[in-house]
Amino acid sequence: MNSAVERHPPKTQTIQVNGLSFFVETRGNPEGEPVLFIMGLGAQMTLWPEALLNAYADAGYRVIRFDNRDIGLSSQVKARLNGHPLAAMARYRLGLPLAAPYTLHDMARDACGILDGLDITRAHIVGVSMGGMISQILAGDHPSRVRSATLIMTSTNSPRLQLPKLQLIVKLAGVGAKGHDEEAVVNRSLAFWKTIQGTVHPTPLQEVQERLRSDFRRSYHPAGILRQTRAILATGSLSSITRRIRVPTTIIHGTADPLVRPGAAKQLQYLVPHARLQLISGMGHDLPEPVLHEIAKSGLAMMASV
C-alpha cells in the first residue's frame, strides 16, 4: 500500500451525546489503544494534520478525532449570546462570573460521551489549544477515562496569564468582521493565520488558503465560534483542576506562539510536576509540517511508557 489513506482508511460515524450529534472519525488499528484528538477554538477536526494522525496510526494506535459541538459537521447549539464580546472578555479578565450557553466542562462531558459511544473505557488524550483545556478537565476531573495527556499550545485559562496581542483579541472577538461569503471568510482567516503562525516553519500561504477554502465548503458556522469563545471565558481558570492531574503528561509549546504565550506552558509544568515540557523553537500557534515528527515522537514516547 502506497498511501497513508490506504494504510489507515478512515471510518466516520455520528454519535449522539448530551442531546447533540457528533461527527467522529476513526483510523488505525481497531484493536489498538485508543487516542482521542481534541481540536481547538473555532477549528474543525480537519485542522489535525494527516501526517500527525497517521504517525500515531503507524505506531499501532486507534486514532479518533471529532468535530466539537458548534463546529464542523457536529450539532450547532441553538442559543443566543448576551452582551458584547469585548465586555465578556473584560469580565473574564476581572474574574467575574459570566453567563454562557455551555462551558468547557460540558465539552469535556461530550468527549466522555464519544468514548462511551465507541465502547472505550480509557483513552490517551491529545488536545490542542482549547482542546488542551478540555483535556485538562478530562485528566483532572475524569481520571478514570484518561491513560495519558498530551497538551499542545494550551494553558490553564487563567486570566492572570499574559494576554495575546490586542489585535488578536479583537479578531478573536469577531469585532469588525464583514462579509460571510467564501472570499471574505478565506481572506479574513488567512490574515488571522499570518499573525499566529510560527517564524521558523511558516506553512506556505497557498497551502493554508486551500485548506481554508476546503473547510469553508465543509462547514461555516460563525455563531458557533462565538459560543465556543464564550465557553472558554465562562469556564475561567482551570488551575485547581490542573493541579489534580496524575496521569502521565507531556506539554508541547512553541517559543513563538503569540496567542497562548510560552509562559502558559511553564505554568502547566509547575502545576503538573511530573509533566514533561518540550518547547519547540520558532513554532507559533500552529502545527507546521516540519515539526510534526518531533511532536509525534514526544507524545508517542510518553504513551509507550504508560
Side-chain angles (χ1 to χ4, degrees):
M1 295 184 181
N2 297 322
S3 71
V5 172
E6 290 173 327
R7 293 198 310 273
H8 309 296
K11 299 179 181 179
T12 62
Q13 65 187 99
T14 57
I15 296 177
Q16 304 299 315
V17 181
N18 297 326
L20 301 172
S21 177
F22 289 84
F23 187 82
V24 181
E25 178 200 273
T26 60
R27 70 176 72 188
N29 181 3
E31 303 302 321
E33 292 181 6
V35 188
L36 184 67
F37 286 77
I38 308 178
M39 188 33 78
L41 169 66
Q44 302 182 52
M45 72 176 198
T46 49
L47 191 57
W48 286 112
E50 291 288 322
L52 183 63
L53 300 174
N54 287 325
Y56 284 78
D58 282 340
Y61 290 94
R62 181 184 182 188
V63 174
I64 306 154
R65 64 174 172 172
F66 67 100
D67 283 324
N68 282 309
R69 60 167 67 194
D70 256 341
I71 201 73
L73 303 183
S74 292
S75 291
Q76 298 178 59
V77 175
K78 306 300 182 182
R80 293 178 61 86
L81 291 177
N82 296 318
H84 193 279
L86 290 180
M89 287 187 178
R91 290 187 65 85
Y92 154 79
R93 189 66 178 171
L94 292 170
L96 299 174
L98 186 62
Y102 54 86
T103 70
L104 298 185
H105 295 277
D106 297 300
M107 299 181 80
R109 285 187 282 271
D110 292 342
C112 288
I114 288 168
L115 293 179
D116 290 339
L118 294 170
D119 295 322
I120 294 171
T121 302
R122 298 180 72 202
H124 300 281
I125 306 296
V126 180
V128 63
S129 197
M130 178 187 75
M133 298 177 192
I134 295 169
S135 298
Q136 291 171 62
I137 296 173
L138 286 169
D141 281 354
H142 308 274
S144 65
R145 309 306 304 267
V146 179
R147 294 180 62 86
S148 73
T150 301
L151 309 176
I152 305 173
M153 54 191 182
T154 191
S155 78
T156 62
N157 198 36
S158 170
R160 296 184 179 181
L161 287 169
Q162 183 181 10
L163 285 172
K165 295 179 180 178
L166 180 60
Q167 63 173 330
L168 291 179
I169 295 176
V170 172
K171 289 178 179 179
L172 280 172
V175 176
K178 296 180 180 179
H180 294 284
D181 59 282
E182 181 174 325
E183 289 303 315
V185 172
V186 169
N187 289 336
R188 188 163 60 241
S189 299
L190 187 62
F192 182 71
W193 188 265
K194 290 178 183 178
T195 64
I196 66 171
Q197 69 177 348
T199 56
V200 176
H201 302 294
T203 303
L205 293 182
Q206 183 177 353
E207 182 179 329
V208 176
Q209 189 176 55
E210 290 172 355
R211 177 182 56 76
L212 292 171
R213 289 192 185 281
S214 177
D215 281 353
F216 177 87
R217 293 168 185 175
R218 182 175 185 262
S219 173
Y220 176 61
H221 301 303
I225 298 173
L226 293 177
R227 283 190 290 267
Q228 286 188 355
T229 302
R230 186 66 61 89
I232 294 173
L233 300 179
T235 300
S237 177
L238 300 173
S239 297
S240 62
I241 295 172
T242 307
R243 291 179 186 277
R244 297 199 293 269
I245 296 176
R246 296 294 181 270
V247 301
T249 302
T250 291
I251 301 160
I252 301 173
H253 212 105
T255 61
D257 191 332
L259 189 60
V260 181
R261 305 299 183 93
K266 295 175 182 178
Q267 185 200 41
L268 281 174
Q269 184 188 35
Y270 173 76
L271 294 175
V272 188
H274 59 276
R276 176 177 181 270
L277 171 61
Q278 180 174 3
L279 294 174
I280 299 181
S281 179
M283 187 176 91
H285 203 73
D286 59 347
L287 297 168
E289 193 277 335
V291 304
L292 296 181
H293 175 74
E294 188 175 354
I295 291 173
K297 182 180 179 181
S298 182
L300 287 168
M302 182 264 296
M303 289 161 53
S305 66
V306 177

